[in-house]
Amino acid sequence: MRKIVTIFKQLFKGSRQVSHFKTTHTPIIIKREDHCISRNHISQAAIKVLYRLHNSGFAAYLVGGGVRDLLLGHDPKDFDVVTDAHPEQIQRLFKNSFIIGRRFRLVHVRFGNEIIEVATFRGSTEDAKGRVQTQRGLLLRDNVYGTLEDDVWRRDFTINALYYNIADFSVVDYTGGMKDLDQKSIRVIGDPTDRFHEDPARMLRALRFAAKLDFVIEPRTAGPIKKHRELLSHVPPARLFDKILKVFHSGKSFATFQLFHEYNIVSVLFPQMAAALKQPEPLSFLMTALKNTDERVNQDKTINSAFLLAVLLWRPLLAQKEVYKRDEDTNEYQAFNMAMADVVQEQLKIISIPRRFTTVMREIWSLQYHLENARVRRVHKVFHHPRFRAGYDFFGLRYQSGEVVLKELYEWWTEFQEGDEEARSKLISHRFSKAKPRKRKKKRPSSEKSLPGTGQ
Ligand code: ATP
Ligand code: MG
């Protein structure tokens, strides 16, 4: 990295400011000896794809995150290839490939578990044939093919628009991406307001890359994100869910959510949570959960996204429960259940969380009620619930982030889990012998008798 940085300092010394509009057609070509990308750092699968395209007479470049991360000395997550071959031509070259996508058709070439995404150069924005755009500027379909030079201006950020050419191992830079890599800067290609209208998800990408790479979003790009953040509500809810999952799995979810908070994005994506964020304590609840998640990701452990979504909506759930409890005929348990349904339904309007996730979220939440209120005969049922561990961790997180009233109960459940049969019986008798006999006020609703997800 140090090597390319020095070379770039020399290259850019005295050069004019690089324009980010399509005004200049002269790229900077960085020769093999002047950058640090070696074929040894590129996956075998990507190398095969590049060479097969090249040997069949097509242009073939590595582009996007793969090139960016290699130049930064990081290990790329995946490799994207771009070529002048059309999807059908690409498919003919690789028998293990299939065409995907509607908005923009591309080819996935599969090698075992690895998939190499191969795209055809996109055409320039001036060519309207094959492109469908809404009145707001949102791109619905975009199947116009072009040249490398056209493709460059369709990419989102300068640091994502560097092309590694398999023909001569050089890196092609039209937009000043190398300079921005050097300056740790996230810069939109073209006019940021137009580019965010075209695809508002780019705003999330800017924040994600800033957090992932520890880069700064340069002011011309940052301003319009703050101004146009509401555009995110036009991104299809299923796509937003994918983006959020990506953040959870990035190992930088804490830093990304800090940026979401700073840019007021939380109020667009999780409006119910944003209302709760006004108090400092819920923020620490979420931030502790995100920190734990990042640690797990960085240790290659699995993470539970439903758990994080449950954290995000916990405060709104409690607030909504209080609203229902104002009705005298509604008991705690009924209010809790109605509030669970409400907050999920409200959130689904913006981000479509698949049912398999909402089911787990409800189980974790229900367990909060049962961990606090379980009576003697139900303790074992709670303990054997398939989500007990997640529910218990959630309970611990609540306690650690300020709900001190849970201390005794949290310690009790901790000892219960860790103890043997004898220790558990002792814990039960100790805890429940102290309890005063309950006065039966109202008949419990039948739903309270079963635990979520067990049918017990
Ligand atoms: P990651 O490390 O997360 O994979 P990436 O930059 O490779 O980062 P991808 O989603 O894999 O991100 O996209 C590959 C490339 O495609 C990007 O680097 C960028 O050049 C281009 N791209 C992706 N999404 C967009 C978008 N919404 N608008 C414009 N260009 C995009
Ligand atoms: Mg990528």
Side-chain angles (χ1 to χ4, degrees):
M1 176 66 198
R2 196 149 292 153
K3 188 178 167 198
I4 45 157
V5 171
T6 347
I7 285 156
F8 269 84
K9 280 187 181 144
Q10 286 161 9
L11 272 173
F12 279 95
K13 207 187 276 174
S15 77
R16 64 191 159 68
Q17 184 64 38
V18 177
S19 166
H20 300 288
F21 297 100
K22 197 188 164 186
T23 48
T24 169
H25 296 265
T26 325
I28 295 168
I29 310 282
I30 303 106
K31 292 202 192 105
R32 170 63 193 98
E33 58 270 30
D34 294 334
H35 66 70
C36 63
I37 300 180
S38 145
R39 273 166 294 165
N40 294 333
H41 299 144
I42 304 171
S43 81
Q44 281 304 308
I47 291 282
K48 263 191 209 161
V49 171
L50 287 166
Y51 271 119
R52 191 163 311 163
L53 284 163
H54 175 66
N55 293 336
S56 310
F58 295 110
Y61 296 81
L62 206 61
V63 68
V67 179
R68 179 196 67 218
D69 291 350
L70 285 175
L71 286 168
L72 289 171
H74 301 169
D75 209 4
K77 199 172 85 245
D78 49 35
F79 291 96
D80 297 308
V81 168
V82 71
T83 175
D84 57 357
H86 285 199
E88 293 73 17
Q89 292 174 307
I90 304 167
Q91 205 185 20
R92 248 174 269 142
L93 287 179
F94 303 96
K95 59 176 188 308
N96 50 340
S97 67
F98 42 99
I99 299 179
I100 62 143
R102 184 178 144 84
R103 193 162 157 267
F104 188 77
R105 294 165 75 229
L106 28 90
V107 180
H108 274 181
V109 186
R110 188 185 281 278
F111 294 87
N113 285 335
E114 191 176 351
I115 290 179
I116 304 295
E117 197 166 282
V118 188
T120 309
F121 293 135
R122 293 190 184 197
S124 84
T125 33
E126 284 102 60
D127 187 352
K129 228 174 93 218
R131 178 167 294 124
V132 182
Q133 208 162 3
T134 67
Q135 270 184 331
R136 270 199 320 272
L138 191 77
L139 273 174
L140 296 179
R141 201 161 321 150
D142 195 12
N143 285 309
V144 184
Y145 304 125
T147 60
L148 171 87
E149 206 183 316
D150 297 323
D151 188 88
V152 168
W153 312 101
R154 311 297 318 285
R155 306 235 156 226
D156 48 5
F157 307 107
T158 59
I159 57 166
N160 287 346
L162 294 161
Y163 297 70
Y164 171 83
N165 188 355
I166 198 66
D168 60 4
F169 317 126
S170 65
V171 171
V172 184
D173 178 10
Y174 274 87
T175 65
M178 287 299 258
K179 188 182 178 196
D180 284 331
L181 272 187
D182 179 27
Q183 295 182 344
K184 295 175 169 280
S185 193
I186 310 278
R187 184 188 309 275
V188 164
I189 297 172
D191 178 69
T193 300
D194 289 350
R195 302 303 309 280
F196 292 148
H197 273 82
E198 239 175 49
D199 181 4
R202 287 176 185 145
M203 296 190 269
L204 291 183
R205 288 175 60 84
L207 301 174
R208 184 165 71 79
F209 292 130
K212 171 178 164 158
L213 306 169
D214 199 15
F215 275 30
V216 172
I217 304 176
E218 60 89 30
R220 209 175 136 264
T221 301
I225 299 180
K226 289 190 174 142
K227 193 162 166 207
H228 299 294
R229 64 198 161 85
E230 294 290 340
L231 287 174
L232 281 171
S233 56
H234 301 304
V235 177
R239 189 162 174 229
L240 278 185
F241 179 72
D242 287 346
K243 300 271 165 211
I244 293 298
L245 270 199
K246 220 167 178 178
V247 171
F248 288 164
H249 284 91
S250 68
K252 291 279 187 178
S253 66
F254 178 79
T256 314
F257 264 81
Q258 271 184 325
L259 286 174
F260 280 4
H261 189 48
E262 196 182 306
Y263 280 74
N264 256 323
I265 298 281
V266 180
S267 65
V268 187
L269 299 182
F270 299 96
Q272 304 179 91
M273 169 71 183
L277 272 181
K278 285 178 187 133
Q279 305 145 32
E281 181 254 316
L283 181 66
S284 82
F285 180 48
L286 171 65
M287 290 313 191
T288 312
L290 294 173
K291 265 190 198 161
N292 293 346
T293 302
D294 290 346
E295 272 168 30
R296 289 187 64 85
V297 171
N298 294 325
Q299 292 162 4
D300 277 337
K301 291 186 184 162
T302 56
I303 64 153
N304 183 348
S305 297
F307 183 96
L308 288 171
L309 291 163
V311 168
L312 272 158
L313 294 177
W314 176 243
R315 297 289 150 188
L317 162 55
L318 292 186
Q320 188 59 18
K321 183 192 77 175
E322 290 310 314
V323 173
Y324 279 121
K325 268 177 65 184
R326 281 183 215 145
D327 179 353
E328 279 195 4
D329 289 333
T330 309
N331 69 20
E332 174 86 12
Y333 191 76
Q334 289 165 325
F336 191 80
N337 270 311
M338 290 195 285
M340 275 202 293
D342 282 5
V343 288
V344 169
Q345 204 176 9
E346 210 39 46
Q347 186 59 51
L348 288 179
K349 290 179 187 162
I350 303 155
I351 300 181
S352 65
I353 308 169
R355 192 185 286 269
R356 63 180 192 282
F357 288 86
T358 55
T359 306
V360 178
M361 288 159 70
R362 283 169 205 263
E363 287 175 337
I364 291 172
W365 287 335
S366 293
L367 277 165
Q368 302 312 299
Y369 178 87
H370 291 293
L371 286 166
E372 277 182 73
N373 299 295
R375 283 180 285 282
V376 62
R377 271 179 300 160
R378 302 181 61 80
V379 165
H380 281 283
K381 280 185 181 169
V382 172
F383 182 57
H384 288 109
H385 188 283
R387 303 282 169 214
F388 173 80
R389 187 68 212 190
Y392 163 81
D393 287 345
F394 194 98
F395 199 73
L397 192 68
R398 287 171 57 201
Y399 155 57
Q400 280 149 19
S401 42
E403 288 189 61
V404 277
V405 288
L406 303 179
K407 182 174 191 292
E408 219 177 290
L409 264 178
Y410 178 66
E411 283 167 0
W412 190 89
W413 278 110
T414 307
E415 280 181 47
F416 189 86
Q417 291 197 70
E418 288 166 0
D420 55 16
E421 276 309 315
E422 199 189 324
R424 283 178 193 161
S425 314
K426 269 193 198 154
L427 278 163
I428 289 180
S429 56
H430 184 247
R431 175 170 160 199
F432 292 97
S433 62
K434 282 199 301 192
K436 288 185 197 136
R438 261 170 29 94
K439 270 193 266 167
R440 270 207 176 267
K441 261 201 255 162
K442 238 182 260 176
K443 206 169 179 287
R444 272 189 293 140
S446 57
S447 56
E448 193 185 348
K449 289 175 187 154
S450 69
L451 288 183
T454 54
Q456 291 175 61

